[in-house]
Amino acid sequence: MRLKIIAIIMVIVAGITALSLFTSLYFTRKSLAQAAEGELTLVSGLAAELIQKEIETLKDRALLFADTTAGFTSNEAFSAYFENQPEHGGLLAAIVYDEKGIIYQWNARPQTFSSDFLGRALAGEALFSTTEVNTALETQGDAAVPGGGTLVNWIAVPAPQTAGSGNAGARAFAAAIPGTHLRDILDKYKIWESGNVYVLDNEGVIVANTRLYIVHERWDFVHDEAILAAYPDAAKMAALMIANENGIARYHWDNAIRIGAYNRIPGTDNWSVGAVAPLNESPLHKAEQLQAVGAVIFLLLGLIAAFHSSFILEKPYRRLEGQRLELENMVKIAEDATRSKSLFLANISHEIRTPMNAIIGMSDLMPTGNLTPLQKGYIEDIKKMSKSLLQIINDLLDFSKIETGKLDLIPVHYNFWSLFDNVCSISKFIGNSKNIDVESRIDANVPQILFGDEVRVRQIITNVLSNAVKYTQTGGVYARVQWTADGRETGKGTLLISVKDTGIGIKDDDRVKLFRAFEQLDLKKNRGITGTGLGLTIASQLLKMMDGTIDFDSVYGKGTTFYIHIPTGTGDKMQVDMLDLKEQYVMVKTGEHVKVLVVDDMPVNLTVASGFLFKHNINAETAQSGAEAVNMACHKQYDLIFMDHLMPEMDGLEATRLIRSTEGSLAKWNRAVPIIALSANAIIGARSLFLEAGMDDFISKPIEAPALNSILNKYLPLEKIERVSALNEPPHEHVPEKTIDLPPVKGVNYAAGFNRFGEKYTYLDIIRTFVENTPSLLQKIEHWTEMDIKEYQIAVHGIKGSARAIGAEIVAALAADLESAAAGGKTEFITAHNEQFTAELKELTANLQALVNERSAAKVKEKRPGPAFETLEKIREACVDYDSASAESLFANLYDFEYESGGDFI
C-alpha cells in the first residue's frame, strides 16, 4: 500500500513539476524574448539615429568645403588648400567636377564614378556613397586593404561656380573619407558578449561592420550566390531589411541562433542599421537553466515528501471502505429529502397561489376613479408586485410538478407567430425601460400555425428571453426563429429559437451550474437582480419532455447566445379561434369624453393625428407650439398629450419639462398626465432623449394605426375605454391607385397615403392642408442662408413628416437628408441640395394645388359616412360662445359633403 501511495504522490509531483516547468518556460521565454527584442530594437533605433546625424554632419562639412572651392581658378590652388588643412580635415581626397568630367582634384587619380551618383550631385542632391575600395589611395591602419587600396566612402554635394566663370553649368564637389568611419561609431555599442551593429545598403551590401573583411570583400547578401548558400538565414534577414522600415527577425549564423532588430536610416538611399546578438547570451538562456535546476530540486523534495506522507496516509485509508458504505446511506437519505422537498413545494405553492390570484383579481376590479394619483400609484405597485410574486410561485409549482412527474403536456393548435410576437413585445417593453434594444425576427418559412403545448412553448421562450433581458445592462437582446422541415414526415419539423444578448456572459466554471435549480450565477456581480433561479431549469426540463434541447455559447463579459430546438408539427388554421388572434381595438365608451391634446407646429400633422384619434371616438384638441401647449395644459386636465419634438421657439422637450415642473394648483395633474413623444426622429437614442425630458413613451411619424392603438390601450383611463374585436374596427380596405378616383401626381404614392388613413375624405383633407401651409415654409427654405441652422432643421423636419403623411416619398426623402445635414452643421450639403429640394417641393405643391382646384371646380360633393364629430363639437362651442359667424362658417363646411347618415339632421 505504501508503494502505491508513494507512486501516486510522485506521479502528482512529477505532473505538477512538468506543468510548472513548461508553463514558466513558456511565459519566461515569451517575456524575456520580448525584453531582448526590445533591447535590440532600442539599440538599432539609436544607432540609426546616430548614423543619420553623422552622415548629415559630413554632408554639411562637404558643403562648407564646396563653398570654399568657389574661389579657386587652378588645380594648384585647389590642392594647396587641402594640403594646408590640419590632417586634411579628415578627408583622404577631394575633386570638383561637372558633367564633362573632373575639373580639380587633390590626392586622387582618375576614378570611375557611378554616373547616377555623379548626376544626382550635379542635380542638387547631397549624397553619401556605399563603402568601396579606392585603388588610387594607399594609407596605413584599418583603412588599408590587403593587396593595395583604401576602404573609403564618398560624399558628393553641389558646388557653386568658380568666380569669373559665368554661367558655365552645374558643378559638384566630392570628398573621400576613411571607410572605417561608420564602423568606429558603431563599435561604441556593446550588445551582451559578442553582439554587434552593422549597416546594410539598399542593394544588400554590408557598408559597415566590426569585421572589416566583410566590408573589404563587399559581402552581398542578396545577389552573391556563395553567400546565399553559406548563410541563407542571414540573407533572409537582409531581404527583410531592404523591404521594410523596421522589424525583428531570428536567424542562424555560425551554428547559433541570433536575434536581430533593424531600423531604416533616414536621409540615406534606404540604408538600414541592424543590431544582432546570439540568443544563448541573452538573459533568457540563463533563466531557462535556472528553471531546469529548480525542477530537479523540486522532484527530489517531492520524493522525500512522498516517502514520509505514505506513513500518514496509510492509516486512514483502511477506514475508507466503511465511510463509502456510510456515504451510500447518506445519498439515500438525501434523495428522500429531495422528494419530500418537492412535495412540500407543490403543496405550499398551491396554498399561496390561491390568495395571490384573489389579490391580483381584486386589484384589477377595484375602481380607481375616486382615488388620488398617489393612491392610484399604490394600487399599480400592488398589481406589479403581486404579479411578480405570482410568477415566482408559478415557477416553484412548475418545478415541483416536473420533479414529481405530475406535469403533463397538453397539445393544441395555436398561432406561433402571434405567441412569439406577444412574448417579444413584453420583453421589448422591459428592455426599453432599461434603455437596451430588444429585436425579434421570424424567418419566412416558419409555419404560422403549429400543434403543441402552447402554454409550455410560451413559458420556455419567455424564461430564456426574460433571462437575457434581465442580465443585459447595455447593448441589446436579439431573438430569431428558424424552421427545419423533417424530410421523412410531412408536417413535422424543428423550431430553432436563438436568443443572443450582449450581457455579462457566463464564466466557464459556471457552465455546469446554469441549468441547476435555485442557482444564480456570479452573485456578487448580479446583486440586485431578483429571481428564483428556476427559469432556465424549468425551460430545460420542459424541453426534455418535448424531446427538445437547449444549449448555449458564451464569452464572459461579452454576452451569451442560447439555442432552443423544439420538435413540433404544423397545425390546422381552421381550428384556431381567429378572434383571439386579433389585437383588441380601443374605443372610447359612448357617453364618455377623454381629453387629448395634440401638439405640432405643422397643421398637416395635426389633421393627421386628429383624424386617427377620431376613429377611436376621440375629439382631440390641438396646439401649434410648445408655448401654447404649456398654457393649455396649465388650464385644463388632459388624459393624454401627444407632443411633437422639433418646433420653433420652444420645442417639445422644453414644453414637457415646463408642464412637469409647473407649480401651483394645477401641478398635481401636470406631473401625472402621460405625455407621448410624437416625432419623425427615428435616430438611435431618440427614445432615451424623450424619456429623460419627462415623456412617458414614443410613437413615430407617420403615425401607424396599430402603434397608436397600443398607446391608447396603455395610457387612457381604463374606465373610459372599451376594447372590441379588431374585426369590428372600421375597415381599412386596400384600394389601388386607379380606384381612388384621383389623377396621378408626380412623386405621390396615393396607395401609401390613402391606406394610412382608411377614408378618402380624410386623405383629401390632409392634402388640402398640405397645399395651404407649405408655401410659407417653402419661401423660408428658399432663403435658407438668412435662417438660423436650427430653424432650418425644424422647417425641413416638418415638411418631412407632412410629405410622408400624404405619400410624397421623394420630397420626404430629400427633406430627411437635409434635416440630418442641418443637425450635423453640414452647410456644404445644404448648399448643394437645397435648390433641388425646393424645386421638387414647388412642383409637388403646384401639382397638388391643381388637384385641389380641379376638385373644387367640379363642385362634386364628396360622400362621407356621416358628419365630422370634430366639426359638430366646434359648432357647439361656437353656439355656447354666441359666435354666430363661426357657427355659420362651420355649417357651410358641413354642406360641402353628402352623408350616408345624418343628412336629415344637418
Side-chain angles (χ1 to χ4, degrees):
M1 182 57 64
R2 288 179 57 196
L3 292 176
K4 288 183 179 179
I5 294 174
I6 292 173
I8 292 171
I9 293 176
M10 284 308 300
V11 168
I12 295 172
V13 171
I16 294 173
T17 304
L19 180 61
S20 301
L21 180 61
F22 289 136
T23 303
S24 61
L25 284 175
Y26 171 79
F27 287 107
T28 300
R29 285 185 177 182
K30 186 175 181 181
S31 59
L32 291 180
Q34 288 175 348
E37 291 171 354
E39 182 179 348
L40 289 171
T41 301
L42 178 63
V43 170
S44 64
L46 291 173
E49 185 177 349
L50 187 60
I51 292 294
Q52 176 201 4
K53 290 180 180 178
E54 183 62 22
I55 290 177
E56 293 299 326
T57 300
L58 292 171
K59 289 179 181 178
D60 290 341
R61 289 182 58 203
L63 286 169
L64 290 174
F65 280 125
D67 289 339
T68 304
T69 61
F72 297 130
T73 57
S74 68
N75 195 72
E76 291 75 13
F78 179 83
S79 297
Y81 170 78
F82 284 102
E83 288 292 346
N84 293 328
Q85 288 290 325
E87 298 182 1
H88 313 302
L91 303 183
L92 300 178
I95 60 171
V96 174
Y97 64 95
D98 60 15
E99 60 183 3
K100 296 179 180 179
I102 295 175
I103 300 173
Y104 307 130
Q105 64 178 4
W106 164 74
N107 205 29
R109 300 175 187 176
Q111 178 79 19
T112 302
F113 290 94
S114 164
S115 58
D116 176 66
F117 184 77
L118 296 176
R120 288 169 61 188
L122 289 172
E125 284 188 61
L127 307 171
F128 193 87
S129 78
T130 188
T131 307
E132 61 184 24
V133 177
N134 191 323
T135 56
L137 298 173
E138 290 186 7
T139 60
Q140 300 298 319
D142 285 343
V145 176
T150 302
L151 200 61
V152 299
N153 291 108
W154 282 93
I155 307 167
V157 296
Q161 297 294 322
T162 302
S165 64
N167 188 15
R171 289 187 176 186
F173 172 79
I177 64 172
T180 58
H181 186 74
L182 297 183
R183 191 282 307 267
D184 295 338
I185 295 173
L186 297 180
D187 271 351
K188 298 175 183 178
Y189 291 96
K190 180 68 174 176
I191 305 175
W192 303 336
E193 295 178 14
S194 61
N196 71 306
V197 184
Y198 62 93
V199 178
L200 189 79
D201 71 9
N202 62 347
E203 296 295 330
V205 177
I206 296 292
V207 176
N209 194 290
T210 53
R211 299 168 180 163
L212 275 179
Y213 69 88
I214 295 178
V215 183
H216 292 172
E217 297 170 12
R218 292 184 58 77
W219 280 31
D220 185 342
F221 284 87
V222 176
H223 306 98
D224 192 323
E225 296 294 335
I227 294 177
L228 286 172
Y231 305 103
D233 285 352
K236 290 177 183 178
M237 180 167 176
L240 290 173
M241 293 174 68
I242 294 172
N244 303 317
E245 293 286 335
N246 52 66
I248 297 287
R250 294 192 183 192
Y251 63 98
H252 286 83
W253 180 280
D254 292 340
N255 299 319
I257 297 178
R258 290 196 166 204
I259 303 179
Y262 56 91
N263 278 81
R264 188 65 49 82
I265 304 174
T268 63
D269 287 346
N270 291 331
W271 291 9
S272 297
V273 167
V276 298
L279 187 60
N280 58 11
E281 295 177 4
S282 71
L284 170 63
H285 184 68
K286 298 175 182 177
E288 288 176 344
Q289 290 177 334
L290 289 174
Q291 288 172 343
V293 172
V296 172
I297 294 172
F298 188 83
L299 283 173
L300 293 174
L301 292 174
L303 179 60
I304 296 170
F307 183 81
H308 287 283
S309 298
S310 63
F311 288 96
I312 301 171
L313 296 176
E314 184 183 25
K315 294 178 182 179
Y317 181 84
R318 300 186 183 278
R319 295 195 295 267
L320 290 179
E321 185 64 20
Q323 291 176 354
R324 183 182 64 81
L325 296 174
E326 186 178 349
L327 284 173
E328 287 179 355
N329 186 48
M330 292 173 65
V331 168
K332 185 177 182 302
I333 294 172
E335 289 174 349
D336 292 339
T338 299
R339 280 191 290 270
S340 299
K341 175 204 68 179
S342 298
L343 290 172
F344 170 78
L345 286 176
N347 292 330
I348 198 68
S349 298
H350 276 295
E351 292 299 322
I352 299 176
R353 200 169 186 270
T354 301
M356 284 307 306
N357 279 327
I359 294 171
I360 293 171
M362 291 176 183
S363 299
D364 289 335
L365 294 173
M366 180 180 291
T368 59
N370 60 338
L371 299 181
T372 66
L374 180 62
Q375 292 169 330
K376 288 181 181 179
Y378 289 157
I379 291 295
E380 291 302 317
D381 287 342
I382 290 172
K383 290 180 182 179
K384 291 176 184 176
M385 294 301 102
S386 298
K387 290 177 180 178
S388 177
L389 180 56
L390 183 61
Q391 182 59 50
I392 294 174
I393 296 167
N394 287 339
D395 284 346
L396 292 171
L397 181 59
D398 288 337
F399 178 71
S400 63
K401 283 183 178 180
I402 292 171
E403 280 204 331
T404 55
K406 292 182 179 180
L407 189 143
D408 297 321
L409 298 178
I410 304 174
V412 295
H413 299 271
Y414 67 100
N415 188 323
F416 174 78
W417 283 27
S418 177
L419 179 153
F420 185 72
D421 181 68
N422 180 260
V423 171
C424 293
S425 296
I426 295 171
S427 294
K428 286 176 184 177
F429 177 77
I430 298 171
N432 289 339
S433 68
K434 298 176 64 177
N435 289 328
I436 62 173
D437 297 326
V438 179
E439 298 179 5
S440 59
R441 170 186 169 188
I442 300 181
D443 285 7
N445 69 329
V446 176
Q448 185 175 4
I449 308 300
L450 296 177
F451 183 72
D453 192 323
E454 178 185 9
V455 174
R456 300 308 173 186
V457 171
R458 180 188 297 272
Q459 189 174 5
I460 291 168
I461 300 174
T462 299
N463 286 359
V464 176
L465 194 55
S466 63
N467 210 60
V469 174
K470 183 191 301 183
Y471 289 96
T472 300
Q473 304 303 325
T474 59
V477 176
Y478 312 95
R480 179 185 180 186
V481 182
Q482 298 168 275
W483 171 262
T484 303
D486 189 344
R488 297 169 298 176
E489 192 172 354
T490 305
K492 297 289 185 179
T494 301
L495 282 174
L496 168 59
I497 305 165
S498 58
V499 178
K500 179 181 180 181
D501 67 62
T502 58
I504 61 172
I506 300 166
K507 295 179 180 177
D508 290 341
D509 294 341
D510 290 336
R511 296 177 72 92
V512 295
K513 303 178 186 177
L514 190 62
F515 298 109
R516 290 180 187 169
F518 306 104
E519 285 272 8
Q520 284 189 321
L521 308 184
D522 211 350
L523 290 176
K524 184 176 180 180
K525 191 169 185 177
N526 298 320
R527 185 172 53 193
I529 297 178
T530 59
T532 60
L534 289 175
L536 292 179
T537 305
I538 292 172
S540 175
Q541 295 295 331
L542 289 174
L543 283 165
K544 285 182 181 178
M545 296 174 66
M546 297 176 180
D547 295 326
T549 60
I550 182 171
D551 200 359
F552 67 97
D553 293 326
S554 184
V555 177
Y556 186 66
K558 294 187 178 180
T560 305
T561 303
F562 281 88
Y563 304 98
I564 304 167
H565 294 82
I566 306 177
T568 186
T570 55
D572 183 0
K573 191 173 184 180
M574 297 298 294
Q575 298 190 44
V576 179
D577 185 357
M578 297 302 295
L579 289 177
D580 292 338
L581 302 179
K582 295 285 186 177
E583 181 183 2
Q584 290 185 316
Y585 192 76
V586 174
M587 298 290 287
V588 174
K589 294 178 181 177
T590 305
E592 293 286 354
H593 181 60
V594 297
K595 294 177 282 297
V596 177
L597 175 63
V598 182
V599 187
D600 201 303
D601 63 307
M602 294 294 294
V604 173
N605 294 336
L606 292 176
T607 304
V608 170
S610 299
F612 269 113
L613 291 168
F614 185 71
K615 296 177 186 178
H616 296 268
N617 285 347
I618 297 172
N619 183 33
E621 298 180 30
T622 60
Q624 284 192 250
S625 70
E628 184 182 358
V630 172
N631 182 57
M632 293 175 71
C634 287
H635 291 84
K636 193 171 198 178
Q637 182 176 355
Y638 289 98
D639 296 298
L640 190 61
I641 297 176
F642 290 95
M643 181 73 71
D644 184 29
H645 176 203
L646 294 178
M647 294 183 289
E649 297 179 4
M650 182 186 294
D651 65 16
L653 303 180
E654 185 180 354
T656 298
R657 293 188 186 101
L658 286 173
I659 291 173
R660 293 293 191 217
S661 64
T662 301
E663 298 179 356
S665 60
L666 304 182
K668 57 184 179 182
W669 69 58
N670 286 338
R671 288 196 295 266
V673 60
I675 300 179
I676 311 302
L678 183 63
S679 176
N681 260 358
I683 60 173
I684 296 174
R687 176 179 292 275
S688 300
L689 183 70
F690 301 141
L691 296 178
E692 288 172 4
M695 297 181 178
D696 296 273
D697 217 323
F698 166 67
I699 183 172
S700 62
K701 292 189 289 190
I703 298 172
E704 298 293 342
L708 178 62
N709 186 72
S710 177
I711 290 292
L712 297 177
N713 183 52
K714 184 177 177 182
Y715 291 103
L716 284 181
L718 296 177
E719 66 274 10
K720 294 185 179 183
I721 63 172
E722 59 183 349
R723 298 180 180 89
V724 299
S725 168
L727 295 178
N728 298 326
E729 180 188 347
H732 291 193
E733 181 184 1
H734 179 81
V735 181
E737 288 190 24
K738 63 180 182 180
T739 66
I740 297 178
D741 192 26
L742 294 174
V745 173
K746 177 186 174 184
V748 178
N749 183 348
Y750 282 140
F754 181 84
N755 285 292
R756 181 169 289 116
F757 306 106
E759 295 89 7
K760 177 179 174 182
Y761 67 86
T762 303
Y763 183 40
L764 289 171
D765 281 347
I766 291 167
I767 290 178
R768 289 191 186 94
T769 307
F770 181 88
V771 170
E772 291 170 1
N773 292 277
T774 301
S776 60
L777 281 174
L778 180 58
Q779 187 175 6
K780 289 183 180 180
I781 293 171
E782 278 189 296
H783 303 90
W784 73 274
T785 54
E786 301 172 8
M787 301 173 67
D788 179 75
I789 192 71
K790 183 68 175 179
E791 185 183 358
Y792 178 82
Q793 178 189 353
I794 293 172
V796 293
H797 171 82
I799 290 175
K800 176 185 71 173
S802 303
R804 283 179 177 171
I806 64 173
E809 296 164 346
I810 296 175
V811 168
L814 290 171
D817 291 340
L818 289 170
E819 179 192 6
S820 177
K826 300 177 181 177
T827 55
E828 300 86 356
F829 184 91
I830 299 174
T831 302
H833 296 87
N834 191 67
E835 185 176 349
Q836 176 194 357
F837 173 62
T838 54
E840 291 282 353
L841 187 57
K842 278 183 180 178
E843 183 179 1
L844 173 66
T845 307
N847 291 340
L848 292 176
Q849 181 67 64
L851 172 66
V852 171
N853 293 342
E854 181 183 344
R855 301 286 298 179
S856 300
K859 295 183 179 179
V860 177
K861 286 191 175 183
E862 294 177 5
K863 196 169 185 178
R864 294 189 172 184
F869 179 80
E870 181 181 7
T871 304
L872 295 177
E873 177 66 19
K874 289 180 179 178
I875 292 173
R876 185 191 67 78
E877 293 175 355
C879 292
V880 170
D881 295 336
Y882 298 97
D883 186 355
S884 59
S886 297
E888 288 176 2
S889 175
L890 291 165
F891 269 117
N893 289 341
L894 289 177
Y895 279 114
D896 287 340
F897 307 97
E898 289 185 2
Y899 303 100
E900 296 175 1
S901 63
D904 295 339
F905 164 76
I906 293 176

